[in-house]
Amino acid sequence: MKGEIRMSYFAQKKNRIIAIAEEKALEYSEMGYTVTDKNGDVICEATVTSVQDAKKKIEELNKELKEAKEYGENADAKIAQLKEENAELKEQLKNAKKSRGKTTATATADAE
């Protein structure tokens, strides 16, 4: 049937068991449910099983967030530095090509 949602997985947390769609397995795992298929094979373990686990996960996420913020704050300065360095290198390349052209022209004139 078109548009029908297949409830082929089961999510269990303590004594509560509910049928869920396959697409929701990871979401329920993150909410502390163990997800199994119809044969009872574990698809996803519960990622959070206690308040202590939840606090630990929150600490990890806050640390990642802090690192991402620091990276973002420093990104503008790094971009500006790289643009400046790129401009300098382009100028050096341009000058090298000019001096190479002059050297070739001088060598050709000397050979004649």
Side-chain angles (χ1 to χ4, degrees):
M1 201 187 273
K2 188 176 181 181
E4 181 179 325
I5 298 174
R6 293 180 44 200
M7 302 296 212
S8 57
Y9 286 170
F10 298 94
Q12 180 175 355
K13 187 175 186 180
K14 295 188 180 183
N15 64 348
R16 182 178 186 196
I17 300 173
I18 55 175
I20 62 168
E22 291 179 19
E23 303 84 41
K24 298 286 187 175
L26 186 57
E27 183 180 331
Y28 274 84
S29 171
E30 290 173 349
M31 291 189 296
Y33 287 84
T34 299
V35 180
T36 59
D37 63 11
K38 62 184 176 181
N39 298 323
D41 297 325
V42 175
I43 305 300
C44 297
E45 288 287 342
T47 57
V48 177
T49 56
S50 68
V51 172
Q52 197 172 31
D53 287 345
K55 287 180 180 180
K56 186 186 227 182
K57 184 72 174 174
I58 289 169
E59 282 179 30
E60 290 171 9
L61 292 172
N62 281 333
K63 182 179 177 184
E64 287 179 23
L65 179 61
K66 181 181 177 184
E67 290 172 1
K69 281 182 179 180
E70 288 173 0
Y71 182 82
E73 290 169 356
N74 296 331
D76 290 337
K78 185 68 173 176
I79 289 169
Q81 176 190 355
L82 290 172
K83 283 183 177 180
E84 185 178 315
E85 185 178 325
N86 190 30
E88 290 173 7
L89 291 171
K90 283 182 179 181
E91 188 63 33
Q92 288 176 6
L93 181 60
K94 184 178 173 183
N95 292 337
K97 284 182 179 180
K98 281 182 184 178
S99 64
R100 183 175 161 202
K102 287 179 184 178
T103 305
T104 306
T106 305
T108 305
D110 290 342
E112 294 175 0

